[in-house]
Amino acid sequence: MVGYESNIKKDFAPTPVIRTSSPRVSSQIRGDKQGVRGASPPQGTGSPQRSLRVYLEISQNNDPVTHSPHVAHPTLAYHHDASVFGRLTRLKFEQDFAVYARLREVSNRARYLVARLERERDPVKRVELRHELETLNAVSKKLLELIQKRELVFGGHFIVNVPQSFSELVRALGYDPSDVEGDFFVSSTYVHVDFEDGSHSTLKLSFIDKMHVGKLHPAKHISKGTRSGRNVFSDLYFLAEVLGGSLLSPHRKGSAVAFTRVWELPIRFFVLTVPKSLSRRIWALYKVEGDAVLSLFRSCGAKAVEKWLVWRARREGVDVRVKDVVGAFAINLHPVGDSNPFEPHFHLHVSLALIVFDKRSKCVYRLRPFLDSEDIEKLRAFWVEEVSSSFALTSDELSVKWDVHVSERFFNLPSSRDFAQLLHTLKYNARKFAPDFSRFLERHPLPTSYDAEFVDFVLNFDNRTVRYGLLTNPRRFARYFVRARIQFELDDVDERIRLIEDELVSAVDSEHEASLHAELAELRETKKRLSQLLESESEALDYLAARVEERLSILLDKSSVLASRIAAFLESISTKRVVNVAVDVLRENIPLSAFLASRRSIAVISDNVKSFALFGFFDPFFESPPPPSL
C-alpha cells in the first residue's frame, strides 16, 4: 500500500517526505480555514474562495496507442474508447442518475449563510437563513450517502464524457477516428478527509492518473496548455518573490499621494471580445493574409492594455509618462467561444499583473486590484479605439457595446493558497479547442452544415502565449530589486538575532538556553551568507531563483494537485471546508477497461473550472440495484 497525506495550511508546504519503510508519503497543500464573511462579492481579495479546481496532470507521452482489433469497425466503435462513458456503455452499464452542480454557487452560498447567521439578530431572518442552510446541508448529505454506496471514479470532464458525435465530427473532417481514442489507467485509493467542524469522512475513490490519448482527444487539447501555463505561473511567482517589499501601493490623502510597501503581487484576468460580424471578417482576412491578421488583432489588445495601465496609474496618483511605463502581462488569442465553436468568435484572454514599472524612477507601483465601472469602461474604450485603428469597422459595429469580461476575483502571489485556481486559469487560456466542440456536442446535435475549413483551423490552431513587458525577461528586470529583497531578509535576521540575545539574558533553563544558542549560531551563518549576496547581484539572483524553484516544486507536485482537486470536490458537495486530506493508494496503473469490468455499481465524478457532474451507473443484472436517483 502506498499513500500520501495533505494538510491545508496558510504557510508554504514543506517538501514531500518519502519513506521507503512506511506506506505513507507526506505532502502539503495550502488553504484558508476561515469562512466567508458576508456576501460573496463579484470581486474577491484573492483568498475568500477555497474551491480549488485543477485539471488532472495529463501524460505528454506521444507513443502510439496500441489498438484493439475493433479499429476496423464504424465510428460507433471508436466512441467506446474515447471516455469512461464509452467504456461503461460497451460493458452494458445503465445510468440511473446524473447530478450537475455549480461549485461556486453551492459552497459559497452555504458559507455565506453561516456567516450571516453569526451576525443576524432578527429572529424572522434567522429562521429563513437557517431553513435555506438546512436545505443545502440535506442535499449535501444525500449526495455523500449516494456516492458512498458506489465505487467512485474521479477524472477531468474531458476524460469522463466524450460524446459520440465528436468522434463523428473528427471522421467527417477526414481524420482517423483513433485520433480521439485513449488508453486510461486508474489508481485505486482510500481517501480520509477531515473537515473544519471536526467531522470526518472516508471514501473509496479511484482516479485516472495516466493516459495515452490521440491528438484530437479533448483531454490532449487541455494538456497542451500545461507547459505554457506553468511557465507563466513560474515567472509571475519569481517576480512576486523578487518584488516582495519593493512594491509601492499608492494612497491618495487629499491632494497628496502616500505610498505603502506591500509584499504580494495581484493577478487578474480579462477577456476582450469583438462583434460577431468582425469575427467573421477576421476569419475571411485570415484565409487571404494568414497569421499577420491574428498578430495585428493581438497587438490591438496589447496596446489597449498598455494604455489602460498608464491611465490607471495616473488615476491612483502615480505621476508617470507614457514612454516610461512597462507592464507585465500575457495574451492568448482564442478563435471561438464557449457557446458555439462552429462559428468564429475571435477574442483575447489577458493575464495581467496589476503593476507598472516606471523606467524613470526605477520604482514598481502596485495598482489597486478592485475594479469599478469606470475602470471597465476605460479599458473598453481603449480596446475599441485600437481595433478601430487597425480594422475597418462598420457603423453597426461601432454602435454596439463590446464585451469586456473581468474575472470574478483576483489572485495574490506568492500566497500559495491561490496557486491552484490561478494555475488552472493560465493553463485554460493556453489550451487547444477540441474541448469546446466536445462540450457543445454534449448539449447539441452535430450541425447538419458547418464550415469544415474553419472547424479544421480551430482544431489545429496554435494557441501561443505571447508575453509583454516585464514577463518577456523577468530575470533581467529583477536585477533592479534583488539587493533590496536580500536586504529585507537581512533586516529580518538582524531583528531575530536581537530578540534571541535579549532572551538569553533572562534564560534560566539550560536546555532552553542551549536551543537558543543553536538557533543564534544558525542565524549568524544566515546573516553572513546574506551579507555576501549583497556584494554580488548575479549570486543573489541565483539564490532567489533556486528558492523559487524549490517552492514551485512543492506547489506543483502531483500529490498536491490531486489533494487540492479532491478537497475542491468534497467542499462543493459537503458545504464545509476541508482541512486535511490523507490518501492511501491501494493499487496503481490498473487498465480502465479491466477496472470497470470488475465493478457492479459506479459513480463517475468529473470536474472543471466552475462545476462538477456526478453520474451513477450500475450493472442491470446485479442482484441489489442501487437506490433511486435524486
Side-chain angles (χ1 to χ4, degrees), residues 10 20 78 90 178 186 192 195 215 222 274 293 365-366 389 428 432 463 487 490 542 549 593:
K10 285 192 174 182
T20 56
Y78 295 101
R90 185 171 64 185
S178 64
V186 173
H192 313 283
F195 296 97
K215 66 180 181 180
I222 283 290
V274 297
V293 175
Y365 299 99
R366 180 254 200 192
S389 66
Y428 174 87
K432 298 190 75 173
N463 183 10
Q487 185 61 57
L490 192 56
D542 290 341
E549 185 177 352
S593 293

Side-chain angles (χ1 to χ4, degrees), residues 76 154 216 252 302 354 358 377 404 438 493 546 555 565:
L76 180 63
F154 188 55
L216 292 178
R252 286 189 179 275
L354 286 161
D358 183 8
E377 289 304 320
V404 172
S438 180
V493 170
L555 290 177
R565 203 165 164 216

